[in-house]
Amino acid sequence: MPRRVDHDRRRAEFAEAVWRIAAEAGPAAVTMSAVAAEAGTSVGRIQHYFPGKDDLLAAAAAALRDRIDRHVQEAIGRVPDPTNALATLHALLMALLPVDEERRATALVGAAFFHHTLRHTESSARHRQGHELIVSAVADTLRGASLSGDDAEREARLLVALVQGLATQLLLGHITAEEADALVRHQLGRLQTTGAPSARGDHPPA
């Protein structure tokens, strides 16, 4: 019998090859031949799934967003009390930070793709879409925690901006994971003091 091919797995392997090349040398170094060599396959095999480089980069960016979403969902799933909206918000924000090897690798790839978005309209649109999804998730969680005051979206954008800045500091080695966590908790504490009374009884896990 002919061997069955897991097409989703094959696409994922090609996306991961793109990530490794982009993290090491930037998206400009991503060529069909480079990805083929990194993935241990042929250019023709890659073109069976992705006709051109732009298709491959788009798929790799989409796979990266899926990985970030998985990090977030797994972190939220580990919150002991799902009804504790503040703890859920803390988990969501920390899941976006490169505080372990896998998330550091993800952040490095994201940083590489960021520079690509500055010069390519379609990539910029995809990046903006992913950013808005994160802001929306944070805003929804803020509302659940009664921490948003009159403008959940504004507070969400401030929190996402904080996390993005902390991510850069972590990648550069300017702060530790523990320090990043303390800064996130500090900001949530500031929001908590101005939130509704129902939110003041919630606390992120120690």
Side-chain angles (χ1 to χ4, degrees):
M1 292 179 62
R3 185 165 59 91
R4 296 183 63 182
V5 177
D6 185 336
H7 295 293
D8 289 340
R9 181 60 236 165
R10 187 63 58 83
R11 291 186 182 92
E13 289 171 356
F14 297 155
E16 290 166 6
V18 171
W19 295 348
R20 291 192 292 272
I21 296 169
E24 180 67 26
V30 176
T31 64
M32 300 299 273
S33 57
V35 174
E38 180 69 26
T41 189
S42 66
V43 171
R45 181 60 60 84
I46 295 175
Q47 289 175 325
H48 177 73
Y49 295 93
F50 307 107
K53 175 180 173 178
D54 288 343
D55 303 295
L56 187 56
L57 286 171
L64 188 68
R65 289 196 300 272
D66 289 343
R67 173 175 281 197
I68 293 170
D69 183 63
R70 176 171 60 81
H71 290 165
V72 169
Q73 296 304 320
E74 288 175 351
I76 291 174
R78 289 193 293 269
V79 174
D81 179 6
T83 66
N84 187 332
L86 185 60
T88 298
L89 180 59
H90 173 261
L92 189 164
L93 295 173
M94 291 303 297
L96 299 173
L97 290 173
V99 294
D100 57 33
E101 285 304 314
E102 183 178 2
R103 279 178 284 183
R104 179 177 176 81
T106 300
L108 287 171
V109 177
F113 272 104
F114 173 77
H115 293 290
H116 186 259
T117 67
L118 298 178
R119 301 186 300 275
H120 296 81
T121 303
E122 289 186 7
S123 295
S124 179
R126 289 192 296 268
H127 186 276
R128 187 182 306 112
Q129 181 185 38
H131 177 80
E132 291 304 315
L133 287 172
I134 292 171
V135 170
S136 178
V138 173
D140 287 345
T141 311
L142 277 166
R143 295 185 188 99
S146 301
L147 292 174
S148 57
D150 296 327
D151 196 339
E153 183 177 331
R154 181 185 62 183
E155 296 294 351
R157 291 190 183 281
L158 286 169
L159 284 172
V160 172
L162 169 66
V163 167
Q164 290 173 333
L166 292 176
T168 299
Q169 296 298 302
L170 283 162
L171 289 176
L172 292 172
H174 292 175
I175 61 174
T176 65
E178 291 75 17
E179 289 169 332
D181 182 47
L183 288 167
V184 170
R185 290 174 182 277
H186 175 71
Q187 182 59 24
L188 292 180
R190 292 175 65 184
L191 286 173
Q192 193 176 17
T193 60
T194 59
S198 60
R200 296 172 191 159
D202 286 347
H203 301 281

